[in-house]
Amino acid sequence: DQQVKQNSPSLSVQEGRISILNCDYTNSMFDYFLWYKKYPAEGPTFLISISSIKDKNEDGRFTVFLNKSAKHLSLHIVPSQPGDSAVYFCAASYTSGTYKYIFGTGTRLKVLA
Amino acid sequence: GAGVSQSPRYKVAKRGQDVALRCDPISGHVSLFWYQQALGQGPEFLTYFQNEAQLDKSGLPSDRFFAERPEGSVSTLKIQRTQQEDSAVYLCASSREGGGANVLTFGAGSRLTVL
């Protein structure tokens, strides 16, 4: 049973346009969410996070939106740049008690110059 | 160190061999995690240490997998009698504190190929 799902395995976007990556989760206990970016042959690197007490968090070109009722989060990248081409993973955790992050299967973003 | 260091980066083993993968976390980081990432999948949780205590090993796929962190810093993931299905990238991550809502810093991973 996959608790965190990224239903789009890949996404292509023109440089300068908006990239929207989606993530759904099933466990209503999750209250902390992160996005990681991964380049080939490297480990995932942290991008942005959001707590369930918020519905939006912004950091430069990156914004994460959380819709708790729909159990859905999305990552917006604006404007997209060729260097953003990577695999993006969303991850979820519940902060009271446990500590392990459950990851989605990833979305490969390709930004076309 | 500045980041999480893992070794070896690549390991090829014959089926039935034992392997040991090392993780050197960021100095002072309390929490250490091991994840397994199969091709085309997201990282899957294996085990978690807070200092030297292994608080959760629920993700270890079988009793052939064993992890330790005896002095609360360096950790080793050992796989005995490797099988082809063990082929994956093994990621180590550390975080400053225990508990949730902490950002994990990952190493580059150890890619294990079992022939």
Side-chain angles (χ1 to χ4, degrees):
Chain A
D1 175 35
Q2 207 166 353
Q3 298 185 69
V4 178
K5 300 178 187 178
Q6 293 176 257
N7 292 318
S8 298
S10 63
L11 175 69
S12 290
V13 170
Q14 282 296 133
E15 181 180 6
R17 304 296 291 268
I18 184 170
S19 295
I20 300 176
L21 295 94
N22 294 303
C23 180
D24 297 293
Y25 61 96
T26 57
N27 190 337
S28 56
M29 296 280 292
F30 288 143
D31 59 3
Y32 192 70
F33 305 88
L34 305 92
W35 283 93
Y36 278 82
K37 178 167 77 172
K38 186 180 184 305
Y39 293 119
E42 295 183 13
T45 55
F46 171 72
L47 200 54
I48 192 168
S49 64
I50 188 166
S51 162
S52 62
I53 61 173
K54 294 186 172 182
D55 53 21
K56 176 182 172 181
N57 189 27
E58 197 170 344
D59 183 2
R61 296 185 298 115
F62 303 92
T63 303
V64 55
F65 294 93
L66 176 62
N67 182 334
K68 287 187 291 292
S69 60
K71 296 193 184 70
H72 177 84
L73 64 155
S74 61
L75 174 68
H76 292 209
I77 306 173
V78 143
S80 301
Q81 298 174 353
D84 296 330
S85 297
V87 178
Y88 290 78
F89 293 99
C90 67
S93 174
Y94 26 102
T95 55
S96 54
T98 81
Y99 30 74
K100 59 189 176 190
Y101 289 95
I102 308 297
F103 283 81
T105 52
T107 296
R108 182 178 300 277
L109 173 66
K110 189 170 184 179
V111 180
L112 307 168
Chain B
V4 177
S5 178
Q6 292 188 246
S7 61
R9 288 294 312 277
Y10 303 94
K11 175 71 180 177
V12 178
K14 290 184 179 177
R15 193 173 56 175
Q17 279 185 331
D18 297 348
V19 299
L21 308 175
R22 176 188 167 108
C23 173
D24 215 323
I26 293 173
S27 178
H29 274 198
V30 166
S31 297
L32 185 144
F33 302 78
W34 283 99
Y35 280 82
Q36 179 190 59
Q37 186 176 15
L39 194 63
Q41 301 297 313
E44 292 206 11
F45 172 81
L46 293 178
T47 187
Y48 162 69
F49 290 86
Q50 190 167 331
N51 296 307
E52 69 278 2
Q54 188 175 22
L55 298 188
D56 188 336
K57 55 182 181 179
S58 63
L60 296 177
S62 77
D63 58 8
R64 297 185 295 104
F65 286 71
F66 171 77
E68 60 183 5
R69 193 187 185 198
E71 295 175 0
S73 56
V74 171
S75 176
T76 304
L77 176 67
K78 297 179 179 176
I79 309 172
Q80 296 177 324
R81 304 180 305 281
T82 52
Q83 304 293 315
Q84 284 189 320
E85 62 263 27
D86 300 336
S87 296
V89 175
Y90 291 86
L91 294 164
C92 176
S94 68
S95 68
R96 186 176 295 119
E97 296 167 2
N102 287 297
V103 172
L104 302 186
T105 302
F106 282 88
S110 292
R111 180 180 295 278
L112 172 65
T113 303
V114 182
L115 303 177

